[in-house]
Amino acid sequence: MRDLRWVGLHWDEGPERDHPQHGPYFQRLAAARPQALRAAAALEAGQAYEAWESPEELTAERKEAEARKEN
């Protein structure tokens, strides 16, 4: 951004200007947004469900189901 200012380029919105309805302005922040939107759409369509079990709990449940020969 410093280099852009140095060559005389200025912008109407961006990380240095507070526009809460726009952004995110950095790729590392924008990457999570499409993933969250896809997850929300899958939940709404009934193609996914929320699971709050820990990895250990899931492993225990999986082993119990395998012992009963269930999926």
Side-chain angles (χ1 to χ4, degrees), residues 37-55:
L37 292 174
R38 286 191 303 273
L43 284 169
E44 190 173 311
Q47 298 170 338
Y49 63 93
E50 294 188 43
W52 300 99
E53 295 85 3
S54 69

Side-chain angles (χ1 to χ4, degrees), residues 6 11 19 28 34 36 41-42 53 55 70-71:
W6 181 80
W11 44 92
H19 290 284
R28 71 182 188 290
E53 295 85 3
E70 296 175 349
N71 291 331

Side-chain angles (χ1 to χ4, degrees), residues 28-71:
R28 71 182 188 290
L29 299 175
R33 190 173 182 187
Q35 182 179 3
L37 292 174
R38 286 191 303 273
L43 284 169
E44 190 173 311
Q47 298 170 338
Y49 63 93
E50 294 188 43
W52 300 99
E53 295 85 3
S54 69
E56 294 81 16
E57 290 171 318
L58 290 173
T59 300
E61 288 181 24
R62 187 176 300 111
K63 287 181 180 181
E64 290 171 13
E66 287 173 354
R68 294 188 307 267
K69 301 201 184 296
E70 296 175 349
N71 291 331

Side-chain angles (χ1 to χ4, degrees), residues 1-26:
M1 291 189 301
R2 182 186 66 228
D3 294 341
L4 292 173
R5 281 191 298 274
W6 181 80
V7 295
L9 296 175
H10 303 282
W11 44 92
D12 295 329
E13 63 179 69
E16 295 178 344
R17 297 182 183 222
D18 190 22
H19 290 284
Q21 69 274 17
H22 301 292
Y25 297 101
F26 296 103

